[in-house]
Amino acid sequence: HAASPSGYGGQGGYVAVVSVDDEVYFHLVDPNAEPYRNESFGLCMGMSRSATLTSDEFWLESFFDDSMSSIAIEFTAYNANIQALSKVTAIFNMNSAGLLVEKSLTSNTILLDNYSVTIPYFELFYLIFTIGYLVEFITSLCRRFAFYCKDPWTWVNFISIINSLASLTLWYTYQLHMADFVQSDLFLDPREFDECDAWVQLYRRASSLATLMIYLRLLQFLAKSRPRVMLLARTLRLGAANMAIYLSYIGIVFYGFAAFATTYFSAYSARFGSPMATLLSCFYMFFGQTAPMESIDGKAAYLKTAFYALFMVFFYFVSVQMFNAIINYSYNRVSEEMGPGLERERTEAKRKAMKAKLAGHKSPVQRLRDYIMAVLRPGAGTDAVQSGENVEANVEDEGKAAGAPQFETLDDETKAKVETYLNRDKASKSPESALSQVRFFIFAVCYIWFLAANLSVNDNFQLQKVLRDLIDQMALPTGQGDATYDTWDNIVTLPQSAGWTMYVLPRLLFNNSAVETKALAVSAEIYDDSTVCLKGWNCIVSLKNGTDKKLVRITQRRAMVQRNDGRLNSHTPANLVFQGGVDNETGKFLSQLLSATRSETYIDPYSSFVDGVENGSLALAPALEGFCDVTEPGDDQAHSANGGIVCLLDADYNTFEAQLEAMVSNDFFTPESSSWVIDFAMQNSNRQILSYVQIAFAMHPSGVVDKDVQVQSILMFNLNYWLDSFWQLTMRLLPGILYTGLTFNFAWKLWTDFKREKYRRWHKDHTGFLTTFIDFFRLDVFNTLELISILVSLWSGILFVLWLMYDTLLQSVKEEGFTPFLAFSETVAYQARLYNRLSASNILMIGMRPFKFVRENPRIAKFIECFWEGSSDMSWFVVMLFVTMCGFVMLSYISFGPQISECSGLQASFVYCFRFILGDFDYDPLFAVDPVMTFFMFPYVVIMYCVFSNIFFAIIDRHFVASDSQPFQWKKKLKPLFSRICRCIEWDEDYVMEDDPNAKKKLGPPSRRERVKETQLQIQSILASDGELVNSMDGEVVTRSQDISDICDVDERLDDVLTWGRTEARKVVTQFNSLITKKRAYRRDENFVKKTIMEEFVAKEIVETKSAMEEACRHMLYATRVHERTAEHDQETLAKYIYLMEKNIRNKLAERNALKHEVEQLQSSSDNLRNPRDRATGGADGDRNMGAADASGEVVAAEGVRPTDAESSSGSSDEGDHRQTRMQGAMRGPQAGTGNDAAADVAGATAEFTSRDPTAAAADTKQTGSK
């Protein structure tokens, strides 16, 4: 293409353009010459040049001489698969001393087809939300400018919004420029390409910063919604000031060390050759990297050791620990400040959960549980839940009836005791017996023995190492000279991969390095001379496939190709399609850069689920039909039955090479060859090992080739000849049998424990099966671990049985031929790989299960308690760390991914940034790509290494509690095992020196937590004393009031009052701030008071208050009217009831008096009948009459003093009039009393009547009740 007359970067110099046709030509550019056009020289569009030289003539000229200080080589490449244009630049710079100080090779790529159907909608939504956040930001800033300027999140939001708008602006500007770039010949000018690349670079910078700030804004939302995240955020904010001051202090010392290193070490190492290089080297040393000091010769630089020791002690040890102290203090102080609030929130959450539970509210999990139980057992789950709710309701009612205090009203100490009692079943775990521990020890030993005897890890590694060493030793000639070769690690292109298959593969397989060993084996008839072996004993299995023995299978899959029209998809508009250039003279579009075909499919050689694979339309050359075939997916002849072109190469060396030459000469390897796999099987008879080898190549649409070597070895059992190796089989299978039996034993024990827990929970609170099952494994992590370990053990046991079955089929499959044997080896290798992964995960879980036996130990319990108490903070801190890290991962991926392989993918970028946290980083490649964005990685290292890593230590330090445990009682532990065997030992002896419970506990050195707590209490005391008011008259000190939560416990009603108070206070503060903001717009206070206060605020308040008062008055009148009508109706009803009761009472009194009169008459008649003589004589002397009078008086005395009928009637009339008067007074209005008072008056009146005769009163009461 035509080069810029001004040279590389517009800096001038001697410019030569290279064109390649049948020969290489060098065109010396001269801007003053006439345009020259010659298609034979490759100048199709004309060029201003002074001369054209061939390559031989050019090297003879003095273009490269001693005076050359720099050279830049540029060329442009076009990739049709991804529609990309890449500019490659190689730069070499020499200094005045003739030393090559800089050499770089960069490739800048721009995509020619960026059109998408869906992405513009996301861009539109992103723009709308960004503008919305901008409006919100401006509004908030105008309301409270000073407050928001002090908030660091304000600046984060501001930078995020600015970068988001900048990235969108740059992107749309770049798209407008690209519309002209792809439709004209602008792509031929390097300056136009550099301009487009500059736009892309700016867009990457803005986008990476916008993405980083968006992730940081997530921390802001988390801090506002999660108290624990707020605690950690406040910790960072509190420690930021101290860390900034300390960084400023050590920055001065750091600069002094760097100045000394530049002055003294610049003559001994290039790492200290310039001030910038020295600062970077000292920064590496600050984080523990010693490579800069290792580059200095210690013999010449005498002060190297002293400088190194002082620098590392001050910065690496002291300074890092200072960061730890700052973070620790900040975390403890914020925890003390927010501790009461977090405790109240935790208590409130528990109270609401308990209230919801008692009210019958269910969580989604509980509803799902009820639904599942209803489906499995209709009616059972609902009945159980209802019965449980009834039990809880009954318990609550009984507690309230008995006057039991509620949980919210208890003090903190009592609440802790209640919670401990309620959670006693969750906290207490039954200790494991000594027999269980011995059983687990045997189980673990048997499993490790079983894996060591059957997995053959060392043998697998040795075979893999043998093959990799051979591959690394075999080099591919480059064709540039006899001494230049491409090793396995340097193969990255399709020609290199095809050349390796053509030239290196035969040497790899047929170059036996142990010729004498092989000759000995042939003479001993161990194997014949035609056997191909690697390193003597690792022989490749060669079996007949038809008439000839086959050694290797090569399976190739090709990608579908399509016509290249300059676009990636059919939706790209015609005005955005790359045309490959336009002729300025004729105005016609050219297509010299457009490839005829293109393919965008990447085929994973190990995967069968790939679209865009060409199979059915493949055609083979006649020379390949004898040993190659085209197969469809599902055919076992191909690798993994994925289909493709399958070639089976013979075991004879000459035939093997001839077949490879035929494959290369007949276009077996083409640009459409997306992937191919070379696989074969090896057998080592010394160890009875069968190995399956896969060498895979896969080409990306960009042209880069991925390569992989896999060796999977399986230790066979040779069960067909089990009698010859009976002892070896026994030693391999016996531990597996014991391990399997113990696995079933642990499964049965786990099931028994679960049934016991289910029985206990059911009889305690009628908990269902599903809830018990979930809680059984949720509340005890060791139960979950044991369940997973048992399931994995059973799964791996099934795979081991399949392994034994495959072993018995080995000889029969060999007789079937080469292709079935390779398929068999591939299946066995897959099963072995899966078995290895399961065994590795299972051995990890088995290694963690012993913690179950020691968790009752006081020291271990304290460790577990430490992690459990700090788990909440550590979990949320991991979330913060992950969010922050993801922001920098996206920054590195966007900014450095196009140039650095470690950042070319999201997963690779994550690993790359994680290595920064560990102190393994290198800024030199980052500076070479983008020096501006590299500076953002310096605070990332400081934040992650010095700040975030120390927060973990702060959390653990705060929650760690030391314990004084009792000495280990070995007799008590060994009693279950040896008490019956050795009876001469007193197994029950337990001598423990107990501490005096009344003695004062000795205080040890205060911990950081205690010191921070004391400091926080002092700060609170100072703040409290700052609010004291001193009366100047008498000197009396008046302390400000305490918070209501410090005086009494806040229950639900008081909490509602506090909430209302806060809401009203917030309204007042909001109004006050609004008035302050409006006041700033007035110069004079009078105008502000007149217009804003009186006319707007006060007038509005008057209208609203008057309206509220009128509304309240209307409601009051309505309520009063309704109440009076209701009360009047009640009084009328009560009066009618009293009148009826009065009438009934009169009737009863009349009946009573009549009955009394009749009784008296009968009594008188009875008395007369007792003395018949007196009635017969008709007279008696005075003595008899006196005796009769006395007798009559006795009767009257015996009956009691009773009034006569007239007196009774008169008394009743008087009392009736009195009662009537009281009833009329009760009926006068509601002021006289309620219906209950009137009823009480009636009851009093009735009591007055019945008090004269107890017997009659009882009868009247009984009759009235029955009435």
Side-chain angles (χ1 to χ4, degrees), residues 32-66:
N32 299 322
E34 294 294 332
Y36 178 75
R37 180 174 180 177
N38 190 341
E39 296 183 0
S40 61
F41 287 166
L43 301 179
C44 302
M45 304 183 65
M47 178 184 296
S48 299
R49 52 79 172 171
S50 60
T52 298
L53 306 176
T54 63
S55 58
D56 295 336
E57 296 172 347
F58 181 78
W59 296 117
L60 294 176
E61 296 294 333
S62 59
F63 193 83
F64 300 97
D65 55 13
D66 297 336

mmCIF file of all heavy atoms in Angstrom, residues 32-66:
data_model
loop_
_atom_site.group_PDB
_atom_site.id
_atom_site.type_symbol
_atom_site.label_atom_id
_atom_site.label_comp_id
_atom_site.label_asym_id
_atom_site.label_seq_id
_atom_site.Cartn_x
_atom_site.Cartn_y
_atom_site.Cartn_z
ATOM 1 N N ASN A 32 8.441 14.570 -3.991
ATOM 2 C CA ASN A 32 8.532 15.531 -5.092
ATOM 3 C C ASN A 32 8.486 14.869 -6.454
ATOM 4 O O ASN A 32 8.393 15.567 -7.476
ATOM 5 C CB ASN A 32 9.824 16.340 -4.967
ATOM 6 C CG ASN A 32 9.864 17.123 -3.660
ATOM 7 O OD1 ASN A 32 8.850 17.640 -3.217
ATOM 8 N ND2 ASN A 32 11.055 17.217 -3.044
ATOM 9 N N ALA A 33 8.560 13.545 -6.518
ATOM 10 C CA ALA A 33 8.571 12.858 -7.803
ATOM 11 C C ALA A 33 7.144 12.686 -8.313
ATOM 12 O O ALA A 33 6.161 12.803 -7.583
ATOM 13 C CB ALA A 33 9.252 11.504 -7.665
ATOM 14 N N GLU A 34 7.065 12.396 -9.602
ATOM 15 C CA GLU A 34 5.769 12.149 -10.212
ATOM 16 C C GLU A 34 5.260 10.772 -9.822
ATOM 17 O O GLU A 34 6.044 9.836 -9.639
ATOM 18 C CB GLU A 34 5.899 12.231 -11.739
ATOM 19 C CG GLU A 34 6.252 13.619 -12.248
ATOM 20 C CD GLU A 34 5.141 14.617 -11.991
ATOM 21 O OE1 GLU A 34 3.962 14.180 -11.927
ATOM 22 O OE2 GLU A 34 5.444 15.812 -11.829
ATOM 23 N N PRO A 35 3.921 10.631 -9.705
ATOM 24 C CA PRO A 35 3.367 9.301 -9.383
ATOM 25 C C PRO A 35 3.714 8.286 -10.457
ATOM 26 O O PRO A 35 3.598 8.558 -11.661
ATOM 27 C CB PRO A 35 1.863 9.555 -9.292
ATOM 28 C CG PRO A 35 1.729 11.024 -9.022
ATOM 29 C CD PRO A 35 2.875 11.669 -9.734
ATOM 30 N N TYR A 36 4.155 7.164 -10.017
ATOM 31 C CA TYR A 36 4.579 6.088 -10.909
ATOM 32 C C TYR A 36 3.674 4.882 -10.676
ATOM 33 O O TYR A 36 3.406 4.495 -9.539
ATOM 34 C CB TYR A 36 6.038 5.725 -10.648
ATOM 35 C CG TYR A 36 6.548 4.582 -11.485
ATOM 36 C CD1 TYR A 36 6.847 4.747 -12.833
ATOM 37 C CD2 TYR A 36 6.731 3.323 -10.907
ATOM 38 C CE1 TYR A 36 7.318 3.692 -13.595
ATOM 39 C CE2 TYR A 36 7.189 2.258 -11.658
ATOM 40 C CZ TYR A 36 7.481 2.445 -13.006
ATOM 41 O OH TYR A 36 7.939 1.384 -13.754
ATOM 42 N N ARG A 37 3.226 4.276 -11.793
ATOM 43 C CA ARG A 37 2.307 3.129 -11.704
ATOM 44 C C ARG A 37 2.824 2.024 -12.586
ATOM 45 O O ARG A 37 3.069 2.202 -13.766
ATOM 46 C CB ARG A 37 0.909 3.557 -12.137
ATOM 47 C CG ARG A 37 -0.120 2.434 -12.073
ATOM 48 C CD ARG A 37 -1.493 2.979 -12.370
ATOM 49 N NE ARG A 37 -2.503 1.923 -12.309
ATOM 50 C CZ ARG A 37 -3.808 2.141 -12.466
ATOM 51 N NH1 ARG A 37 -4.235 3.380 -12.674
ATOM 52 N NH2 ARG A 37 -4.651 1.146 -12.399
ATOM 53 N N ASN A 38 3.003 0.853 -11.978
ATOM 54 C CA ASN A 38 3.483 -0.316 -12.719
ATOM 55 C C ASN A 38 2.975 -1.566 -11.990
ATOM 56 O O ASN A 38 3.405 -1.863 -10.874
ATOM 57 C CB ASN A 38 5.016 -0.302 -12.789
ATOM 58 C CG ASN A 38 5.541 -1.358 -13.746
ATOM 59 O OD1 ASN A 38 4.844 -2.311 -14.092
ATOM 60 N ND2 ASN A 38 6.792 -1.181 -14.176
ATOM 61 N N GLU A 39 2.040 -2.273 -12.633
ATOM 62 C CA GLU A 39 1.460 -3.444 -11.983
ATOM 63 C C GLU A 39 2.460 -4.571 -11.814
ATOM 64 O O GLU A 39 2.323 -5.403 -10.919
ATOM 65 C CB GLU A 39 0.251 -3.942 -12.782
ATOM 66 C CG GLU A 39 -0.896 -2.941 -12.834
ATOM 67 C CD GLU A 39 -2.100 -3.500 -13.559
ATOM 68 O OE1 GLU A 39 -2.016 -4.660 -14.011
ATOM 69 O OE2 GLU A 39 -3.112 -2.783 -13.676
ATOM 70 N N SER A 40 3.487 -4.608 -12.677
ATOM 71 C CA SER A 40 4.496 -5.660 -12.527
ATOM 72 C C SER A 40 5.326 -5.466 -11.267
ATOM 73 O O SER A 40 5.888 -6.424 -10.728
ATOM 74 C CB SER A 40 5.412 -5.690 -13.752
ATOM 75 O OG SER A 40 6.089 -4.441 -13.888
ATOM 76 N N PHE A 41 5.436 -4.237 -10.801
ATOM 77 C CA PHE A 41 6.130 -3.941 -9.552
ATOM 78 C C PHE A 41 5.200 -3.955 -8.341
ATOM 79 O O PHE A 41 5.638 -3.706 -7.222
ATOM 80 C CB PHE A 41 6.816 -2.576 -9.642
ATOM 81 C CG PHE A 41 8.037 -2.575 -10.528
ATOM 82 C CD1 PHE A 41 8.590 -1.377 -10.950
ATOM 83 C CD2 PHE A 41 8.622 -3.774 -10.943
ATOM 84 C CE1 PHE A 41 9.718 -1.377 -11.771
ATOM 85 C CE2 PHE A 41 9.729 -3.766 -11.750
ATOM 86 C CZ PHE A 41 10.280 -2.566 -12.178
ATOM 87 N N GLY A 42 3.920 -4.199 -8.572
ATOM 88 C CA GLY A 42 2.959 -4.168 -7.472
ATOM 89 C C GLY A 42 2.427 -2.789 -7.184
ATOM 90 O O GLY A 42 1.767 -2.581 -6.164
ATOM 91 N N LEU A 43 2.689 -1.812 -8.071
ATOM 92 C CA LEU A 43 2.197 -0.447 -7.873
ATOM 93 C C LEU A 43 0.964 -0.269 -8.749
ATOM 94 O O LEU A 43 1.032 0.231 -9.872
ATOM 95 C CB LEU A 43 3.281 0.571 -8.231
ATOM 96 C CG LEU A 43 4.589 0.452 -7.437
ATOM 97 C CD1 LEU A 43 5.592 1.492 -7.903
ATOM 98 C CD2 LEU A 43 4.315 0.599 -5.950
ATOM 99 N N CYS A 44 -0.177 -0.700 -8.216
ATOM 100 C CA CYS A 44 -1.403 -0.659 -9.003
ATOM 101 C C CYS A 44 -2.069 0.706 -8.972
ATOM 102 O O CYS A 44 -2.868 1.029 -9.838
ATOM 103 C CB CYS A 44 -2.392 -1.710 -8.482
ATOM 104 S SG CYS A 44 -1.742 -3.396 -8.499
ATOM 105 N N MET A 45 -1.791 1.504 -7.939
ATOM 106 C CA MET A 45 -2.486 2.777 -7.781
ATOM 107 C C MET A 45 -1.551 3.973 -7.871
ATOM 108 O O MET A 45 -1.969 5.098 -7.618
ATOM 109 C CB MET A 45 -3.217 2.802 -6.428
ATOM 110 C CG MET A 45 -4.182 1.649 -6.245
ATOM 111 S SD MET A 45 -5.079 1.726 -4.704
ATOM 112 C CE MET A 45 -6.029 3.212 -4.959
ATOM 113 N N GLY A 46 -0.287 3.748 -8.197
ATOM 114 C CA GLY A 46 0.627 4.859 -8.371
ATOM 115 C C GLY A 46 1.320 5.261 -7.090
ATOM 116 O O GLY A 46 0.744 5.183 -6.008
ATOM 117 N N MET A 47 2.591 5.706 -7.215
ATOM 118 C CA MET A 47 3.372 6.094 -6.055
ATOM 119 C C MET A 47 4.447 7.079 -6.494
ATOM 120 O O MET A 47 5.051 6.941 -7.556
ATOM 121 C CB MET A 47 4.020 4.871 -5.417
ATOM 122 C CG MET A 47 4.911 5.208 -4.215
ATOM 123 S SD MET A 47 5.728 3.760 -3.575
ATOM 124 C CE MET A 47 4.305 2.826 -3.045
ATOM 125 N N SER A 48 4.679 8.080 -5.622
ATOM 126 C CA SER A 48 5.763 9.030 -5.864
ATOM 127 C C SER A 48 7.035 8.432 -5.306
ATOM 128 O O SER A 48 7.236 8.400 -4.089
ATOM 129 C CB SER A 48 5.447 10.380 -5.202
ATOM 130 O OG SER A 48 4.260 10.931 -5.739
ATOM 131 N N ARG A 49 7.914 8.007 -6.169
ATOM 132 C CA ARG A 49 9.137 7.346 -5.711
ATOM 133 C C ARG A 49 10.295 7.782 -6.592
ATOM 134 O O ARG A 49 10.139 8.227 -7.728
ATOM 135 C CB ARG A 49 8.971 5.830 -5.709
ATOM 136 C CG ARG A 49 8.464 5.166 -6.972
ATOM 137 C CD ARG A 49 9.561 5.020 -7.992
ATOM 138 N NE ARG A 49 9.237 4.240 -9.155
ATOM 139 C CZ ARG A 49 10.037 4.175 -10.190
ATOM 140 N NH1 ARG A 49 11.168 4.841 -10.189
ATOM 141 N NH2 ARG A 49 9.720 3.450 -11.251
ATOM 142 N N SER A 50 11.477 7.639 -6.019
ATOM 143 C CA SER A 50 12.678 8.024 -6.748
ATOM 144 C C SER A 50 13.315 6.846 -7.462
ATOM 145 O O SER A 50 13.968 7.022 -8.489
ATOM 146 C CB SER A 50 13.698 8.658 -5.794
ATOM 147 O OG SER A 50 14.043 7.721 -4.771
ATOM 148 N N ALA A 51 13.156 5.637 -6.894
ATOM 149 C CA ALA A 51 13.740 4.449 -7.517
ATOM 150 C C ALA A 51 13.040 3.222 -6.969
ATOM 151 O O ALA A 51 12.405 3.252 -5.903
ATOM 152 C CB ALA A 51 15.247 4.373 -7.243
ATOM 153 N N THR A 52 13.171 2.111 -7.717
ATOM 154 C CA THR A 52 12.631 0.815 -7.309
ATOM 155 C C THR A 52 13.770 -0.192 -7.380
ATOM 156 O O THR A 52 14.413 -0.341 -8.425
ATOM 157 C CB THR A 52 11.472 0.377 -8.192
ATOM 158 O OG1 THR A 52 10.407 1.325 -8.074
ATOM 159 C CG2 THR A 52 10.965 -0.994 -7.788
ATOM 160 N N LEU A 53 14.026 -0.891 -6.286
ATOM 161 C CA LEU A 53 15.133 -1.827 -6.192
ATOM 162 C C LEU A 53 14.609 -3.205 -5.848
ATOM 163 O O LEU A 53 13.590 -3.352 -5.145
ATOM 164 C CB LEU A 53 16.124 -1.376 -5.101
ATOM 165 C CG LEU A 53 16.678 0.053 -5.213
ATOM 166 C CD1 LEU A 53 17.555 0.358 -4.003
ATOM 167 C CD2 LEU A 53 17.449 0.233 -6.509
ATOM 168 N N THR A 54 15.345 -4.198 -6.326
ATOM 169 C CA THR A 54 15.055 -5.562 -5.890
ATOM 170 C C THR A 54 15.653 -5.773 -4.508
ATOM 171 O O THR A 54 16.386 -4.932 -3.975
ATOM 172 C CB THR A 54 15.623 -6.572 -6.880
ATOM 173 O OG1 THR A 54 17.056 -6.429 -6.912
ATOM 174 C CG2 THR A 54 15.059 -6.358 -8.280
ATOM 175 N N SER A 55 15.336 -6.912 -3.918
ATOM 176 C CA SER A 55 15.823 -7.169 -2.560
ATOM 177 C C SER A 55 17.342 -7.249 -2.526
ATOM 178 O O SER A 55 17.978 -6.729 -1.598
ATOM 179 C CB SER A 55 15.208 -8.460 -2.025
ATOM 180 O OG SER A 55 15.527 -9.554 -2.884
ATOM 181 N N ASP A 56 17.948 -7.884 -3.538
ATOM 182 C CA ASP A 56 19.411 -7.983 -3.557
ATOM 183 C C ASP A 56 20.046 -6.608 -3.726
ATOM 184 O O ASP A 56 21.041 -6.282 -3.055
ATOM 185 C CB ASP A 56 19.855 -8.906 -4.690
ATOM 186 C CG ASP A 56 19.388 -10.337 -4.475
ATOM 187 O OD1 ASP A 56 19.141 -10.706 -3.293
ATOM 188 O OD2 ASP A 56 19.238 -11.089 -5.466
ATOM 189 N N GLU A 57 19.476 -5.770 -4.579
ATOM 190 C CA GLU A 57 20.017 -4.434 -4.782
ATOM 191 C C GLU A 57 19.830 -3.554 -3.535
ATOM 192 O O GLU A 57 20.700 -2.732 -3.212
ATOM 193 C CB GLU A 57 19.343 -3.771 -5.984
ATOM 194 C CG GLU A 57 19.625 -4.477 -7.297
ATOM 195 C CD GLU A 57 18.787 -3.925 -8.434
ATOM 196 O OE1 GLU A 57 17.815 -3.177 -8.127
ATOM 197 O OE2 GLU A 57 19.067 -4.237 -9.600
ATOM 198 N N PHE A 58 18.711 -3.763 -2.868
ATOM 199 C CA PHE A 58 18.426 -2.932 -1.694
ATOM 200 C C PHE A 58 19.427 -3.208 -0.572
ATOM 201 O O PHE A 58 19.902 -2.287 0.092
ATOM 202 C CB PHE A 58 16.990 -3.191 -1.216
ATOM 203 C CG PHE A 58 16.608 -2.366 -0.028
ATOM 204 C CD1 PHE A 58 16.266 -1.030 -0.163
ATOM 205 C CD2 PHE A 58 16.579 -2.926 1.247
ATOM 206 C CE1 PHE A 58 15.909 -0.281 0.929
ATOM 207 C CE2 PHE A 58 16.217 -2.174 2.344
ATOM 208 C CZ PHE A 58 15.881 -0.847 2.183
ATOM 209 N N TRP A 59 19.750 -4.457 -0.343
ATOM 210 C CA TRP A 59 20.676 -4.778 0.746
ATOM 211 C C TRP A 59 22.105 -4.331 0.421
ATOM 212 O O TRP A 59 22.913 -4.139 1.329
ATOM 213 C CB TRP A 59 20.669 -6.274 1.039
ATOM 214 C CG TRP A 59 19.340 -6.770 1.545
ATOM 215 C CD1 TRP A 59 18.518 -7.655 0.966
ATOM 216 C CD2 TRP A 59 18.701 -6.372 2.765
ATOM 217 N NE1 TRP A 59 17.391 -7.848 1.698
ATOM 218 C CE2 TRP A 59 17.483 -7.070 2.829
ATOM 219 C CE3 TRP A 59 19.034 -5.492 3.788
ATOM 220 C CZ2 TRP A 59 16.587 -6.917 3.884
ATOM 221 C CZ3 TRP A 59 18.158 -5.346 4.833
ATOM 222 C CH2 TRP A 59 16.940 -6.049 4.885
ATOM 223 N N LEU A 60 22.405 -4.147 -0.841
ATOM 224 C CA LEU A 60 23.732 -3.660 -1.203
ATOM 225 C C LEU A 60 23.866 -2.156 -1.030
ATOM 226 O O LEU A 60 24.984 -1.630 -0.969
ATOM 227 C CB LEU A 60 24.067 -4.044 -2.655
ATOM 228 C CG LEU A 60 24.220 -5.548 -2.922
ATOM 229 C CD1 LEU A 60 24.461 -5.795 -4.405
ATOM 230 C CD2 LEU A 60 25.363 -6.130 -2.090
ATOM 231 N N GLU A 61 22.727 -1.437 -1.004
ATOM 232 C CA GLU A 61 22.765 0.006 -0.824
ATOM 233 C C GLU A 61 23.026 0.341 0.657
ATOM 234 O O GLU A 61 23.002 -0.522 1.531
ATOM 235 C CB GLU A 61 21.447 0.636 -1.299
ATOM 236 C CG GLU A 61 21.205 0.451 -2.785
ATOM 237 C CD GLU A 61 22.218 1.200 -3.632
ATOM 238 O OE1 GLU A 61 22.751 2.212 -3.139
ATOM 239 O OE2 GLU A 61 22.462 0.760 -4.775
ATOM 240 N N SER A 62 23.219 1.606 0.916
ATOM 241 C CA SER A 62 23.570 2.067 2.271
ATOM 242 C C SER A 62 22.335 2.538 3.049
ATOM 243 O O SER A 62 22.385 3.540 3.771
ATOM 244 C CB SER A 62 24.600 3.211 2.173
ATOM 245 O OG SER A 62 24.050 4.282 1.411
ATOM 246 N N PHE A 63 21.211 1.821 2.852
ATOM 247 C CA PHE A 63 20.013 2.196 3.611
ATOM 248 C C PHE A 63 20.222 1.921 5.104
ATOM 249 O O PHE A 63 19.780 2.675 5.959
ATOM 250 C CB PHE A 63 18.811 1.409 3.082
ATOM 251 C CG PHE A 63 17.495 1.947 3.577
ATOM 252 C CD1 PHE A 63 16.893 3.016 2.942
ATOM 253 C CD2 PHE A 63 16.867 1.397 4.674
ATOM 254 C CE1 PHE A 63 15.687 3.508 3.401
ATOM 255 C CE2 PHE A 63 15.666 1.881 5.140
ATOM 256 C CZ PHE A 63 15.066 2.948 4.493
ATOM 257 N N PHE A 64 20.886 0.826 5.444
ATOM 258 C CA PHE A 64 21.251 0.493 6.823
ATOM 259 C C PHE A 64 22.757 0.716 6.977
ATOM 260 O O PHE A 64 23.546 -0.012 6.376
ATOM 261 C CB PHE A 64 20.906 -0.959 7.158
ATOM 262 C CG PHE A 64 19.445 -1.273 7.017
ATOM 263 C CD1 PHE A 64 18.952 -1.856 5.872
ATOM 264 C CD2 PHE A 64 18.561 -0.976 8.036
ATOM 265 C CE1 PHE A 64 17.617 -2.147 5.732
ATOM 266 C CE2 PHE A 64 17.219 -1.268 7.911
ATOM 267 C CZ PHE A 64 16.727 -1.852 6.762
ATOM 268 N N ASP A 65 23.139 1.696 7.756
ATOM 269 C CA ASP A 65 24.552 1.980 7.973
ATOM 270 C C ASP A 65 24.772 2.311 9.445
ATOM 271 O O ASP A 65 23.860 2.206 10.277
ATOM 272 C CB ASP A 65 25.026 3.121 7.065
ATOM 273 C CG ASP A 65 24.177 4.380 7.217
ATOM 274 O OD1 ASP A 65 23.387 4.440 8.192
ATOM 275 O OD2 ASP A 65 24.292 5.277 6.373
ATOM 276 N N ASP A 66 25.999 2.750 9.756
ATOM 277 C CA ASP A 66 26.352 3.025 11.144
ATOM 278 C C ASP A 66 25.642 4.241 11.713
ATOM 279 O O ASP A 66 25.531 4.390 12.933
ATOM 280 C CB ASP A 66 27.874 3.225 11.267
ATOM 281 C CG ASP A 66 28.643 1.962 10.883
ATOM 282 O OD1 ASP A 66 28.035 0.880 10.983
ATOM 283 O OD2 ASP A 66 29.815 2.076 10.506
#
